[in-house]
Amino acid sequence: MLVSYKWLNEYVDIKGVTPQELADRLSLTGIEVEGVEIPQEGLKKIVVGDVKECIPHPDSDHLSICQVDIGEEELSQIVCGAPNIKAGVKVIVALPGSRIGGNVKIKKGKMRGQVSNGMICSLQELGFSDSVIPKEYAEGIYYLPEDALAGKPVFPYLEMDDAIIDLSITPNRADALSIRGVAHEVAAIYNKKVDFPAVELKEAAERASTKINVSVTDKTDAPHYEIRIIEDVKIGPSPQWLQNRLINEGIRPISNVVDVTNYILLLFGQPLHAFDYDKLGSKEIVVRRAKEKEPFTTLDGVERTLNPENIVITNGEIPVALAGVMGGLDSEISEETTTVALEMALFDHTSIRRTSQSYNLRSESSMRFEKGINQSEISLAGEVAAAMIAELAGGKVLQGAVKGSEVQPKNVEVSTTVENVNRFLGTDLTQAQVNDIFKALEFPTQVHDGVTTVSVPPRRWDITIEADLMEEIARIYGYDRLPSTLPEGQTVAGFLTQTQKATRKVRQLLESAGLSEAISYALTTEEKAQQFLVNESKVTRVAWPMSEERSTMRLNLVSGLLEDLSYNVARKNSDVAFYEIGHVFYQNNDPKKDLPSEQNHVAIALTGNIKDKSWTEKAQSADYYTIKGMVEELVEGLGLTNKVTYQAIQLAEMHPGQTAGIYLDEKLIGFVGQVHPAVAASYELKATFVAELDLAAMIAQETSPLVFEAVSKYPAISRDIALLVDETTTNAEIAKVIEGAAGKFLAKLQVFDVYQGANIETGKKSMAYNLTFVNPEATLTDEEINRNMSKVTKSLTEKLQAVIR
């Protein structure tokens, strides 16, 4: 919200307070100030010029030679290239040695052989944005008022000597989205009185109800809706003061009628809309919900397809405005307009927000309807606007406003006590001081039996409970004056839960394996959310996503890590290894439960080399065994080695021959393997390996206590065994048989060879294992080892039909 210091002074006398002092004080009371800007700062020697003569340049088809009165004895010659330059107009002149926008210095010079003593400026050259310059001056110079005196500084005529205070308004203080609202705030801060001059509305004898009928289908959509009729208007430019005020507030002047609606928007915070009465096509206004796929062309010339979520203003049949958001192209004010239908309304804020977001039509009006408006001044804003249109456009206002619905706002009574205030704020205020604060806020109060009852006017609709009163007292009293205290009470030693300890251990294990932690977005696309799933789940969509790329709650961590890998690889960081610990959001089919359940997962993703090349060895690229080794280290670190198994599974996004499911006590908790090359290519990655596990399930699993054993002083004995088995037989199945038959002295089992090829029949494979036996209490004999090996051989033959080689 941009606030003009001069405009504010018209309603509350703060001339003794500088703009910067006011900004600092506003910040201390809870309204953040982004900055204070004085438009004329950095500009100098820019004056009013009166063009007395204008002739074409002899050596150019677009330049003109102007003789300009700049308040000196002789006329000054200036060469100008603006297409709208002509004799008899007052213009902006930058004298030699002046500074214009962008800190550009103007010098005396020649243009195509003709002397030019300075420059005739456009508003853009003074630093004004293109978005606020009237369209008739967008491609040329700006004409000053006829009464501007030649040679005088131009800044007062454009109100560039004003100070513009930029307020950052929070949603709960939407009352400050108007000059009147800010005036009330400033008056309370400095204990002043606001003075809003009364506006006399002169109405014609003819009643507006003879011209139009207004109805509202559902009064919850439009609790207040009224129309005023102004006849015999003449559309033209606004006076200079009104144009200056709008430009300083960041709004482009358009015409006298439209400028009045924008002026009232800034003054009251009340959005208005002006229809061309003759273009409505009927004598009726009906406010209703749009029909499904109902077409409507907005003021920006775009045809939009509406739906029943949208509130529309119709002429009884077709829409003429999208309520609270934008008017229709067919009923806009134009130079031919002679009768204006002026709308004042209050619309359902939720519907306005949804409509403005769905069509990407954010405006000053929709923002105010979304956050709330002062319901007690809707009709007053319309009266002031009608009076201004009658004055500036020469029209007559028909008697009365035609209302389809009407709100009757009342003051809200909220109570508190001085004891509560002091306990809450830590202050030592008296009843008189509290009363003075509410008096400064212009909140009527009554004190009875120690209870202060405050009557809050409708202009402050954010105050409804006792805590809101505490905030108002603290703001006006001064946050900087509140006493500082230290927390009281006995301190308690903090500690980590078992889950927190386990999570920290997981981080240590993964980082010791060479991984770096990444944090990815919890929101993704619906397609990526459903990738890499080991359990079926519905997706959870965000009601109002900021973009389609962030519209769905994730169901896996891997897709986010792949985006992180892709980001790094695209920036020439080709060797990347990440892990992430985070929540995924599963949604079951239970109709009684709308919210998803959060599950804590851990994921790993790596691509490129795990060891760089050197003069002694070649680079070593990551493969399946690299990432499986990292998973095994994690499992072992959590003490779950004996409870976790791996089995081949099929996932659409994973390589069919290099993917294993991870099972905890026969329950699938994750997967490990290579990303399918087609999926990796979609992320612009080469060979990539990932794993994801249900961390919560692993942490919740009870682990066996760690028992330390002394290193045996007796020698270990190793034996090898090779066997021929079906190629579908897994290492886990073979290891289970061997461990079950080898006896209690088997200390280690390791596969050291796998072979398929020549001299091995089709459908078979050769597996070779090394078995290490240790007896911690005695030296093992060959007879004991041979007996155990015989049992192993027999079990393998009987249970797996293995052939010992």
Side-chain angles (χ1 to χ4, degrees), residues 580-780:
E580 180 173 5
I581 298 173
H583 288 99
V584 296
F585 304 87
Y586 279 100
Q587 182 88 275
N588 57 27
N589 294 316
D590 185 358
K592 297 181 181 179
K593 187 176 181 182
D594 295 331
L595 297 177
S597 60
E598 299 184 31
Q599 295 186 14
N600 202 21
H601 279 204
V602 58
I604 303 172
L606 54 141
T607 188
N609 295 329
I610 59 170
K611 184 181 291 186
D612 294 333
K613 68 178 181 179
S614 67
W615 66 277
T616 59
E617 55 186 352
K618 296 181 179 179
Q620 182 180 345
S621 59
D623 58 17
Y624 170 81
Y625 298 104
T626 304
I627 193 164
K628 186 169 182 289
M630 293 177 176
V631 172
E632 288 177 341
E633 285 188 27
L634 173 61
V635 170
E636 183 179 0
L638 294 176
L640 300 174
T641 302
N642 295 330
K643 297 183 178 183
V644 171
T645 57
Y646 305 88
Q647 299 179 26
I649 62 170
Q650 297 290 328
L651 286 178
E653 295 80 19
M654 299 294 290
H655 194 295
Q658 294 194 39
T659 303
I662 304 173
Y663 291 81
L664 178 62
D665 289 340
E666 300 183 359
K667 179 184 178 182
L668 183 63
I669 63 165
F671 62 90
V672 59
Q674 181 179 354
V675 177
H676 195 289
V679 176
S682 69
Y683 287 90
E684 299 183 355
L685 296 171
K686 295 181 179 179
T688 303
F689 302 87
V690 298
E692 183 164 340
L693 301 93
D694 185 345
L695 182 59
M698 298 173 69
I699 292 175
Q701 183 70 36
E702 291 188 12
T703 58
S704 302
L706 186 61
V707 178
F708 291 92
E709 294 183 357
V711 177
S712 176
K713 62 182 179 179
Y714 301 101
I717 298 176
S718 296
R719 292 290 177 90
D720 294 339
I721 184 171
L723 55 149
L724 195 66
V725 294
D726 292 336
E727 64 179 358
T728 57
T729 304
T730 65
N731 170 66
E733 293 173 330
I734 298 173
K736 185 176 180 180
V737 172
I738 294 176
E739 289 170 351
K744 63 180 180 180
F745 297 138
L746 179 65
K748 184 178 180 182
L749 175 65
Q750 184 175 4
V751 59
F752 66 86
D753 184 55
V754 180
Y755 177 73
Q756 279 182 288
N759 301 323
I760 299 294
E761 62 182 284
T762 304
K764 299 288 185 178
K765 63 181 177 182
S766 173
M767 303 280 289
Y769 290 85
N770 175 258
L771 290 74
T772 302
F773 296 90
V774 176
N775 184 350
E777 298 178 353
T779 301
L780 289 170

Side-chain angles (χ1 to χ4, degrees), residues 65 200 217 279 590 743:
I65 301 175
E200 182 182 359
T217 303
K279 293 179 182 178
D590 185 358

